[in-house]
Amino acid sequence: MNFEEAKDYLLQKARAMGLEAEVLATETREMSLSAFEGRLEEITQATQGGIGVRVVVEGKVGYAYTEEKTPEALDWVMQEAYENALLQTGGDAFIPAGSALGRHDLLGEGLSAALEEKQAAALAVEATLRQDARVKQVPRTAYQEQEVEVVLGSTKGASGGYRAGVSVLMGSAILEGGGAPKQSWNVDASREFHALEPGKTALELIERTARLLDARPLKTGKYRAYFEPKAFAQLLGVISFLFSAKNVLEGKSLLAGKVGEQVASGLVTIVDDPTLPGGIASRPFDAEGTPSRPLVIIENGLLKSFAHNSETARKMGVESTGHAQRGYKGVLGVGHSNLFLKPGAGVRLEEGVLVTEMMGLHAGANPISGDFSLQALGLKLEGGEVAYAVENFTVAGNLLTLLQSISAVGSELEWEYWGMALGAPMVEVAELSFAGA
Amino acid sequence: MLSETLVGEVLSRARLGGADYAELYVERWRRRSLRMLSGEVKEAASGLEYGAGLRLLYGSEVVYAYTNDLSAQSLLELTETMVKLKGRAGQVDAQGRGGLDFRKQAAQGLHAPEVPLSAKDRRYRLERLLEAEAAARVAPEIKQVQTQLLEWDQEVLVATSEGKWVEDRRVRTRYVVTAIAQGEAGMQTGSVGPGKSVGLELFELYPPGMVGRQAGEQAMTNLRAKPAPAGTMPVVIGNAFGGVIFHEALGHLLETTSVAKKASVLCDKLGEKVASPCVTYIDDGTTPHGWGSSEFDDEGLATERTVLIENGVLKSYMVDRWGAWRTGLRPTGSGRRQDYTFAPTSRMRNTFIAPGDTPKEKLFEGIEFGLYAKDMGGGQVKPGSGEYNFAVKEAYIIRRGRIEEPVRGAMLVGKGPDSISKIAAVSSDLETAPGMCGSLSGSLPVEVGQPHLLISEIVVGGQA
């Protein structure tokens, strides 16, 4: 069976069982080419896909999925989803009314280059890195691409699909010079293979890592903090947890009950735009078939809206913002697409610490309490100039306090790709706690 | 899961195409998950994952492909494509001729569950989670309790061109209780999540009443905690999940994935003193029912107990097949992968610091001002520079040798080799705890462990 057939089989079965159901299938083609010491060291090629159902039985919702598309496996899926639904408490679940959404192609010719060109790109990142005498080792450079086909259908009329994809260049290098070695990563992603530039990926990596050599410990204290765009984008990824209406309803968001209030500095405007042309995470509709549109979450510091799927929207008495997220393995959630902090008038570097990179976000930032304490790498600024590199230090604070203490926003947006696309310019924060020697 | 003839044909074709080694990994994986919040089932899901990964080695060069179309036609086409990717199609290697004579090995059931996935009805699961939730509500300030149950039943087949045919089955169960306390100072969390290579008897090994209460108490402790101090100071690290510090600071630096590429600060150091003499560090894939245990690794090799560091001296790395090829070292049964979508790399299993002989109380003596990091969150490391961090979930100030007020939001940072040389004393109370470890071959269940121990100085990141 192919995915269209499997989808039809499941929907037909649901109708026969008298259930409301929604079927989501994705099929992914992937390729990865890794270079090491001037050769292609690892080549990965894959096709993979699966199909998942969300069923509603007497107002209760259950989920199941399979990667095996035999009738037996699909029958098992319906039975499991049905039994899982009966386990649920409550009785207000529903599958939203849907419509014909059409077939969309967001990828076009983006990945159409010849295999040789892609191999050459992976090799070129490595070769460029190794030209620099300070580069001691290049553990990995790679070109990766992923093409995804999404198929959605429901017993309530939703029907559609789209094709999307991304090509990525990445490198990791260890640099030496003076004191201890430093290791960094650089990842560049685009919808178009031809928009990637191996030389740029490599040189940026060297530049970003080399400036951290000869680092000294940072004296513990409070400093003005400057976050480079990619570093702030990482923090935005954690902050995005607060914008999810699902987390608000589950009592996990510090922003609960604050729509219409000033929650950030007036310089802060945060937007999620799934329609962004060329956006890495753009999508024509969400996982429930709600058509995509841009969403202003915070405008000049005022909290305008949370991100909603149909379930959270009904519970909070608003309309879905088209932010339903679900993979075939997953359950209905809320997810952002291209989330960014809108550029501002600019930042002038003066005194303080320039944070270039952070580590340990998955553990050191607690989005429920809002507290964060993160390992950082960066540069000490004195008199508007870089004085020296600093290491072995942490930056700590609270996400909400941080949003309120933003004192300047840069004028150029940069993107970081972490499953969702996160964009930020340079950000200046009036004061943060730093721990070091 | 696949016929011997088909597996033999795929592997032989790969060898005929010039591969030095071919390995087919097939899995069928049933998973169940249940998430409850405030007494209500929020999400109940089931899944069936089914796929295969084929890896060809040409020297140390790797071609890997995976698919979940396991028909004969699809697998044979895939093999042809892979051979062509190396530009070796049509080449005939005499060693690849003829059929493969598989030597079959099956798991003995050393980690087999007492209560399999199909036993007990869904109500039983729900009731245990409700019990945990009730226990977590230790105070009126506990506003939300989330409980989650994960059940995995994974069947694996590994067959290689060397004639290996290994079947393994891994049943794992874990539940996590997260309590959210809310007061004037805001929201704080506490969480506890036992997991083992067992079935639902996990609830007997770790009673929901006890686990829930611990989560609730941790959230309440954090609610009344002040922000952690900042600066360099002595730190006593708690046992069990405290071991995550050495998972980051030491474990990852000893995987051949980094070592073979000279991308670890601990490469070329076998036989050298790399840690304080009170440190013995062991990675054991055989621990009965360990969260990170399995009878075979994902390359079909029997797992073993590997002594990495003995009394401060580096004795062994964690070696997978690729790492063995690159370094000439003996494989240690450490080739692991999340699932068929990843080629295996060298990974940790159940990794712990062996018990020492300092009584726990002695660790605190003589500390004028320091931190007791009782329970830990996760962390991260860069093997090439050794820089690592990890977050502290529950911590207290040590003042004049006594454990005093709780503090929250601490993060410890350092450089691995530096921190392990500063371990001043190790207690005898070894405990282990489960976690998930993310790296090149995906997210894997691992156990970490250690007794209480003292690090003479480390950077504590806090706000005060």
Side-chain angles (χ1 to χ4, degrees):
Chain A
M1 254 189 258
N2 66 27
F3 281 109
E4 278 294 333
E5 288 161 354
K7 181 196 76 174
D8 293 341
Y9 183 94
L10 286 168
L11 288 178
Q12 211 174 348
K13 192 153 173 88
R15 286 194 187 94
M17 291 166 78
L19 309 177
E20 284 182 21
E22 176 191 80
V23 179
L24 181 77
T26 57
E27 188 160 26
T28 307
R29 184 189 63 76
E30 260 179 358
M31 188 177 68
S32 160
L33 307 162
S34 307
F36 187 63
E37 295 179 342
R39 290 168 302 146
L40 280 178
E41 183 198 46
E42 192 172 333
I43 303 173
T44 299
Q45 162 157 316
T47 52
Q48 190 218 2
I51 189 158
V53 294
R54 170 160 73 124
V55 305
V56 173
V57 189
E58 295 157 14
K60 299 173 176 195
V61 63
Y63 298 87
Y65 68 90
T66 177
E67 293 178 343
E68 196 177 342
K69 289 168 291 182
T70 57
E72 300 75 46
L74 296 172
D75 291 348
W76 178 84
V77 159
M78 283 310 290
Q79 192 56 35
E80 284 285 313
Y82 178 77
E83 284 174 30
N84 285 334
L86 292 184
L87 198 63
Q88 216 211 359
T89 333
D92 52 359
F94 62 100
I95 302 287
S99 59
L101 299 156
R103 315 288 303 185
H104 304 260
D105 185 356
L106 274 59
L107 181 59
E109 301 298 304
L111 306 178
S112 63
L115 178 64
E116 291 72 24
E117 285 182 65
K118 294 168 181 171
Q119 292 175 336
L123 291 165
V125 177
E126 211 223 0
T128 311
L129 287 171
R130 288 195 186 270
Q131 275 168 18
D132 193 298
R134 294 165 298 182
V135 173
K136 181 193 156 208
Q137 187 56 291
V138 182
R140 188 158 187 251
T141 63
Y143 169 76
Q144 293 185 343
E145 65 180 32
Q146 191 183 62
E147 186 183 328
V148 188
E149 186 93 37
V150 177
V151 174
L152 179 77
S154 79
T155 56
K156 300 289 287 291
S159 160
Y162 63 91
R163 172 175 172 261
V166 61
S167 53
V168 178
L169 269 181
M170 62 176 75
S172 164
I174 301 168
L175 272 70
E176 241 174 10
K182 288 286 164 206
Q183 180 173 20
S184 271
W185 278 91
N186 196 22
V187 178
D188 282 318
S190 172
R191 272 271 143 95
E192 301 280 334
F193 168 77
H194 289 291
L196 295 173
E197 296 172 57
K200 185 165 154 271
T201 302
L203 293 174
E204 272 178 12
L205 171 57
I206 292 174
E207 191 191 327
R208 290 222 316 257
T209 317
R211 62 190 176 159
L212 298 171
L213 292 169
D214 287 318
R216 308 180 200 169
L218 179 73
K219 198 169 173 309
T220 299
K222 293 188 191 294
Y223 297 92
R224 179 175 300 174
Y226 299 89
F227 289 88
E228 284 202 335
K230 288 199 169 187
F232 195 82
Q234 295 182 338
L235 264 188
L236 187 60
V238 181
I239 293 170
S240 73
F241 182 95
L242 306 178
F243 305 149
S244 154
K246 185 168 174 173
N247 292 328
V248 171
L249 284 165
E250 293 190 356
K252 295 175 187 168
S253 170
L254 292 164
L255 293 178
K258 296 200 166 157
V259 172
E261 289 181 24
Q262 186 86 26
V263 297
S265 142
L267 301 170
V268 174
T269 294
I270 295 174
V271 179
D272 185 71
D273 188 357
T275 68
L276 205 65
I280 299 292
S282 292
R283 58 193 185 206
F285 51 82
D286 72 0
E288 292 182 297
T290 305
S292 293
R293 57 183 167 86
L295 173 70
V296 179
I297 296 168
I298 293 178
E299 189 167 33
N300 303 325
L302 285 180
L303 180 64
K304 304 289 278 188
S305 174
F306 297 117
H308 286 278
N309 59 35
S310 70
E311 194 179 286
T312 65
R314 183 182 280 192
K315 285 196 175 131
M316 289 172 77
V318 295
E319 259 182 48
S320 172
T321 58
H323 285 80
Q325 180 163 294
R326 175 159 88 87
Y328 68 84
K329 291 185 194 180
V331 298
L332 184 69
V334 167
H336 303 286
S337 57
N338 306 300
L339 183 74
F340 63 97
L341 173 68
K342 222 172 144 183
V347 170
R348 247 188 69 200
L349 300 182
E350 287 169 11
E351 303 285 324
V353 179
L354 177 66
V355 177
T356 61
E357 190 182 328
M358 282 175 294
M359 290 171 67
L361 275 102
H362 65 294
N366 181 338
I368 297 180
S369 67
D371 293 339
F372 66 89
S373 178
L374 300 163
Q375 181 172 19
L377 302 168
L379 305 165
K380 183 73 179 27
L381 302 174
E382 287 170 7
E385 303 274 327
V386 173
Y388 50 89
V390 283
E391 66 174 7
N392 239 16
F393 70 101
T394 69
V395 55
N398 183 279
L399 297 172
L400 272 190
T401 320
L402 176 109
L403 280 176
Q404 283 152 1
S405 324
I406 289 177
S407 43
V409 176
S411 56
E412 278 178 55
L413 193 61
E414 285 183 39
W415 290 91
E416 187 85 319
Y417 178 52
W418 268 23
M420 61 177 157
L422 295 160
M426 177 86 80
V427 170
E428 179 193 296
V429 178
E431 188 184 80
L432 278 174
S433 285
F434 289 84
Chain B
M1 284 177 277
L2 289 180
S3 80
E4 201 178 317
T5 321
L6 174 59
V7 172
E9 207 173 331
V10 165
L11 296 173
S12 298
R13 278 211 196 185
R15 291 283 282 125
L16 283 166
D20 296 308
Y21 169 82
E23 164 201 275
L24 185 66
Y25 171 93
V26 188
E27 75 182 348
R28 178 180 273 120
W29 197 342
R30 280 177 205 275
R31 300 179 193 246
R32 282 208 181 122
S33 66
L34 184 60
R35 182 172 80 95
M36 298 188 69
L37 185 76
S38 300
E40 292 187 1
V41 173
K42 283 285 168 191
E43 288 148 7
S46 307
L48 175 65
E49 285 163 40
Y50 179 58
L54 178 61
R55 181 169 65 149
L56 311 186
L57 292 183
Y58 296 78
S60 62
E61 293 175 31
V62 184
V63 183
Y64 189 70
Y66 62 88
T67 178
N68 40 34
D69 181 350
L70 302 196
S71 64
Q73 191 195 346
S74 153
L75 287 176
L76 291 169
E77 275 175 16
L78 188 72
T79 315
E80 282 312 311
T81 313
M82 290 171 74
V83 168
K84 279 186 194 135
L85 272 175
K86 272 305 288 182
R88 305 283 281 274
Q91 283 209 9
V92 175
D93 184 323
Q95 288 182 331
R97 287 184 191 283
L100 282 165
D101 185 13
F102 289 113
R103 297 178 303 282
K104 294 198 173 177
Q105 286 175 282
Q108 300 167 54
L110 296 179
H111 314 291
E114 278 174 30
V115 185
L117 188 66
S118 54
K120 305 269 188 194
D121 65 7
R122 286 168 163 78
R123 290 275 143 199
Y124 173 84
R125 296 165 163 83
L126 201 145
E127 281 157 16
R128 298 290 81 72
L129 295 184
L130 282 172
E131 235 176 274
E133 173 173 338
R137 295 188 179 273
V138 294
E141 287 86 355
I142 303 286
K143 301 292 183 196
Q144 294 280 15
V145 180
Q146 175 171 286
T147 55
Q148 264 176 303
L149 172 66
L150 294 170
E151 297 170 84
W152 296 348
D153 185 348
Q154 182 197 26
E155 291 168 84
V156 168
L157 162 68
V158 184
T160 74
S161 57
E162 292 167 347
K164 190 175 275 296
W165 180 291
V166 164
E167 290 177 48
D168 199 9
R169 183 164 190 177
R170 296 124 185 207
V171 174
R172 292 190 171 99
T173 304
R174 188 176 192 196
Y175 76 103
V176 184
V177 182
T178 307
I180 302 175
Q182 195 163 12
E184 275 171 26
M187 276 195 258
Q188 292 298 332
T189 59
S191 72
V192 181
K196 285 273 171 197
S197 285
V198 298
L200 286 174
E201 68 266 31
L202 183 72
F203 287 123
E204 283 156 39
L205 298 169
Y206 299 89
M210 179 189 82
V211 170
R213 193 170 59 249
Q214 285 172 356
E217 281 168 0
Q218 189 176 75
M220 289 306 295
T221 300
N222 283 329
L223 192 65
R224 64 170 203 276
K226 296 197 189 86
T232 302
M233 61 190 77
V235 175
V236 174
I237 299 174
N239 57 0
F241 205 67
V244 73
I245 183 173
F246 298 105
H247 175 98
E248 302 300 343
L250 198 50
H252 280 298
L253 310 182
L254 298 175
E255 295 165 340
T256 46
T257 309
S258 295
V259 171
K261 290 185 170 181
K262 309 224 180 287
S264 162
V265 286
L266 290 179
C267 71
D268 296 330
K269 292 220 173 355
L270 281 178
E272 290 182 30
K273 184 177 172 296
V274 297
S276 147
C278 57
V279 173
T280 290
Y281 195 46
I282 296 166
D283 179 55
D284 189 351
T286 69
T287 315
H289 302 284
W291 175 241
S293 296
S294 57
E295 289 193 40
F296 297 96
D297 72 359
D298 293 325
E299 299 181 317
L301 296 176
T303 54
E304 61 171 56
R305 178 185 165 97
T306 311
V307 177
L308 301 167
I309 291 173
E310 197 167 17
N311 303 325
V313 176
L314 184 61
K315 291 288 184 182
S316 177
Y317 294 111
M318 284 167 274
V319 187
D320 63 337
R321 188 174 279 276
W322 178 91
W325 193 290
R326 290 278 312 196
T327 60
L329 297 168
R330 181 186 63 84
T332 54
S334 304
R336 300 187 69 194
R337 53 180 128 200
Q338 176 183 309
D339 54 37
Y340 67 88
T341 67
F342 292 88
T345 57
S346 55
R347 300 288 294 269
M348 284 176 261
R349 301 163 299 203
N350 306 301
T351 321
F352 59 91
I353 301 264
D357 49 15
T358 310
K360 179 184 158 192
E361 303 71 38
K362 291 262 180 208
L363 300 177
F364 296 86
E365 275 177 19
I367 297 179
E368 194 53 33
F369 183 84
L371 190 79
Y372 173 33
K374 190 178 175 208
D375 191 16
M376 237 52 79
Q380 196 185 356
V381 69
K382 291 181 172 183
S385 62
E387 291 168 295
Y388 74 89
N389 63 71
F390 67 104
V392 187
K393 260 167 50 180
E394 184 179 340
Y396 300 83
I397 294 294
I398 305 170
R399 208 175 272 114
R400 290 177 296 277
R402 295 165 59 96
I403 300 169
E404 297 197 335
E405 75 273 16
V407 290
R408 63 181 158 82
M411 166 153 289
L412 307 190
V413 306
K415 291 183 185 175
D418 181 46
S419 301
I420 53 179
S421 66
K422 286 182 176 156
I423 298 178
V426 178
S427 160
S428 56
D429 54 351
L430 171 67
E431 293 282 345
T432 61
M436 294 302 290
C437 165
S439 185
L440 274 182
S441 60
S443 176
L444 286 174
V446 296
E447 241 173 48
V448 298
Q450 68 170 28
H452 273 81
L453 57 78
L454 168 66
I455 297 189
S456 58
E457 62 170 34
I458 190 166
V459 173
V460 176
Q463 290 190 62

